[in-house]
């Protein structure tokens, strides 16, 4: 059997804060950032959402490839020439390019904030995220609120941000490991966080996106989550990150990003049925396939779940959180549904 390997799927102008008095999709504007620079992407996503604009990344990192049919007239590029080279920008089919950047990721986020200041419907609200620990702070990219990266190691940066945002409603996204409590008090900010990135994502949605339709991303990587956040925001949806991973022989794999929500929804329904079935003590079987859904682990023998017609395995045992097992009937529709999902994922990874 093949090893299961799942792959996730010009004119240059100087930045002027007075470029626009307001933003709308009719302005035919876009936001562009490097697919490698996750910090720039988080800033770019909230910036794009605030502008009601589509987010694009450098070639090879996004399904949102910028082409002539997008009819983008003004493109805001988040990050300096080291992140997005000027030679690359000259090849893009846009009329005007505005680079939004500073000497580092922190100054770049400040430049983006200054461009947006007073021009978003969110008014005085500003998100503060750590420029070092990004797992929780990706939630900030799901809103249309300007986002500033904070260097918690730099007194100068903290002072600059405090002065710049005096009188604003500040929201720190992430726990004390990202932004310590004493710094939170110094900024006079509110904290939104949970036990992990998934709880933080849900808490952020409940606070600031609950008026929007809930959409789900089952991909925990930053770049595809940020891109999906922008896509959903423009549809009027708020995004929540759900935990959904698959492991073979202890090795973590990724689903194609465009399939994540589909399989998360399908497996969530199927495994709720598994949870309701009669349990037994765990056997001595050595499982090699595991799927994790919102903190709950389900383990299988791969050969049994991939081929329900295999006569060697008379039963399909599902081990739950390593403590108990459920036995599935090979002829049951639930067993076929789960098996079919795994087979589809396998075929996707071996095309």
């Amino acid at each position: 059997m093949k090893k299961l390997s799942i792959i996730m799927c010009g004119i240059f102008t100087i930045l002027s804060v007075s470029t626009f008095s307001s933003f709308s999709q009719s302005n035919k504007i876009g936001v562009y950032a490097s697919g490698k620079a996750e910090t720039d992407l988080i800033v770019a996503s909230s910036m794009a959402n605030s502008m009601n604009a589509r987010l694009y990344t450098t070639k090879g990192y996004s399904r949102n490839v910028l082409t002539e049919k997008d009819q983008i007239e003004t493109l805001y590029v988040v990050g300096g020439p080291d992140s997005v080279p000027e030679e690359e920008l000259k090849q893009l089919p846009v009329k005007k390019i505005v680079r939004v950047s500073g000497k580092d990721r922190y100054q770049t986020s400040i430049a983006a904030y200054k461009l947006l200041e007073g021009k978003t419907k969110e008014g005085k609200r500003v998100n503060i995220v750590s420029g070092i620990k990004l797992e929780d702070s990706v939630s900030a990219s799901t809103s249309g609120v300007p986002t500033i990266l904070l260097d918690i190691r730099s007194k100068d940066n903290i002072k600059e941000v405090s002065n710049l945002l005096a009188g604003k409603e500040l929201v720190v996204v992430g726990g004390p490991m990202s932004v310590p409590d004493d710094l939170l008090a110094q900024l006079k900010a509110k904290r939104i966080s949970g036990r992990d990135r998934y709880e933080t994502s849900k808490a952020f949605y409940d606070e600031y996106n609950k008026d929007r339709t809930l959409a789900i991303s089952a991909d925990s990587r930053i770049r595809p989550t940020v891109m999906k956040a922008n896509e959903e925001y423009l549809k009027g949806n708020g995004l929540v990150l759900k935990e959904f991973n698959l492991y073979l022989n202890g090795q973590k794999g990724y689903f194609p990003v465009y399939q994540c929500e589909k399989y998360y929804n399908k497996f969530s329904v199927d495994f709720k049925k598994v949870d309701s079935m009669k349990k037994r003590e765990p056997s001595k079987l050595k499982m090699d396939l595991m799927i994790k859904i919102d903190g709950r682990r389900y383990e299988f023998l791969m050969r049994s779940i991939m081929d329900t017609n295999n006569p060697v395995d008379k039963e399909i045992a599902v081990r739950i959180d390593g403590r108990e097992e459920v036995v599935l009937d090979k002829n049951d529709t639930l067993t076929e549904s789960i098996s079919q999902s795994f087979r589809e994922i396998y075929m996707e990874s071996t095309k």
Side-chain angles (χ1 to χ4, degrees):
M1 180 177 287
K2 295 182 180 179
K3 181 179 179 181
L4 180 61
S5 174
I6 301 173
I7 308 300
M8 279 291 283
C9 0
I11 300 174
F12 293 84
T13 66
I14 298 174
L15 173 63
S16 171
V17 176
S18 60
T19 304
F20 289 126
S21 58
S22 62
F23 302 110
S24 69
Q25 284 183 299
S26 61
N27 285 327
K28 295 184 179 179
I29 56 180
V31 179
Y32 196 81
S34 169
K36 293 181 180 179
E38 294 177 337
T39 50
D40 286 348
L41 278 172
I42 289 173
V43 172
S45 180
S46 59
M47 182 177 175
N49 294 348
S50 297
M51 292 176 160
N52 289 314
R54 195 176 184 191
L55 175 63
Y56 302 90
T57 63
T58 48
K59 188 176 181 181
Y61 289 93
S62 172
R63 289 184 291 126
N64 294 351
V65 178
L66 179 57
T67 65
E68 289 185 3
K69 66 180 181 181
D70 290 305
Q71 297 183 320
I72 298 297
E73 294 182 356
T74 301
L75 185 69
Y76 290 84
V77 178
V78 178
D82 288 342
S83 296
V84 186
E86 293 193 1
E87 285 303 313
E88 178 179 333
L89 296 180
K90 290 177 181 178
Q91 299 174 27
L92 297 177
V94 297
K95 294 181 179 179
K96 179 180 178 182
I97 291 176
V98 179
R99 192 184 286 277
V100 184
S101 68
K103 65 180 182 180
D104 54 29
R105 66 185 66 179
Y106 307 105
Q107 293 302 313
T108 293
S109 71
I110 288 174
Y113 168 75
K114 288 179 177 178
L115 183 138
L116 294 171
E117 188 176 12
K119 300 181 179 65
T120 70
K121 64 180 180 179
E122 300 294 345
K124 292 186 174 182
R125 188 181 301 158
V126 183
N127 291 327
I128 304 289
V129 302
S130 168
I132 303 169
K133 192 176 187 306
L134 301 177
E135 289 84 355
D136 286 341
S137 54
V138 70
S139 299
S141 68
T142 67
S143 72
V145 178
T147 297
I148 285 186
L149 301 177
L150 187 68
D151 185 355
I152 63 174
R153 304 164 300 183
S154 169
K155 292 182 179 179
D156 289 341
N157 179 252
I158 293 169
K159 183 178 179 181
E160 180 181 11
V161 170
S162 297
N163 292 337
L164 178 67
L165 302 181
K168 303 295 183 182
E169 179 188 346
L170 306 186
V171 178
V172 167
V173 185
M177 293 294 290
S178 297
V179 178
D181 288 333
D182 59 342
L183 186 50
L184 183 79
Q186 181 180 337
L187 293 169
K188 297 182 175 62
K190 173 182 179 179
R191 186 191 302 281
I192 295 182
S193 67
R195 180 178 55 183
D196 53 30
R197 70 189 71 180
Y198 309 102
E199 287 191 359
T200 296
S201 174
K202 183 61 167 61
F204 191 85
Y205 171 84
D206 288 342
E207 185 80 21
Y208 293 121
N209 281 323
K210 60 186 176 183
D211 59 330
R212 290 173 165 264
T213 303
L214 174 64
I216 292 171
S217 174
D219 190 331
S220 61
R221 296 180 300 171
I222 291 176
R223 176 180 51 79
T225 301
V226 167
M227 299 303 296
K228 183 173 175 59
N230 173 248
E231 292 174 6
E232 295 297 338
Y233 191 86
L234 295 181
K235 296 176 187 175
N237 299 332
L239 191 71
V240 169
L241 182 63
K242 306 296 285 187
E243 186 176 20
F244 186 51
N245 293 307
L246 188 141
Y247 301 77
L248 177 65
N249 291 323
Q251 183 177 355
K252 185 175 180 179
Y254 289 104
F255 296 86
V257 64
Y258 54 90
Q259 294 282 36
C260 278
E261 186 172 347
K262 167 190 171 182
Y263 285 117
Y264 171 85
N265 289 332
K266 189 174 183 305
F267 275 125
S268 294
V269 171
D270 285 345
F271 283 106
K272 282 180 182 177
K273 295 177 183 177
V274 172
D275 283 338
S276 67
M277 296 171 65
K278 184 178 179 180
K279 312 293 193 303
R280 73 178 188 186
E281 290 294 316
S283 65
K284 293 183 179 180
L285 292 170
K286 188 175 181 180
M287 308 295 196
D288 57 1
L289 179 64
M290 186 266 280
I291 188 165
K292 191 174 184 182
I293 306 173
D294 293 338
R296 198 144 166 85
R297 293 182 291 116
Y298 303 90
E299 297 172 86
F300 304 84
L301 279 172
M302 185 173 177
R303 67 172 185 267
S304 66
I305 199 66
M306 291 292 289
D307 183 5
T308 53
N309 295 318
N310 183 354
V312 175
D313 300 300
K314 296 181 179 180
E315 61 183 27
I316 297 177
V318 185
R319 187 170 298 156
I320 304 173
D321 285 342
R323 297 192 300 269
E324 53 192 6
E325 286 181 0
V326 166
V327 177
L328 300 181
D329 183 341
K330 284 194 173 184
N331 296 317
D332 190 88
T333 55
L334 173 61
T335 307
E336 174 54 31
S337 178
I338 293 173
S339 299
Q340 180 61 33
S341 294
F342 278 113
R343 289 195 294 269
E344 287 178 13
I345 293 169
Y346 178 73
M347 292 302 295
E348 181 70 36
S349 70
T350 55
K351 284 181 178 177

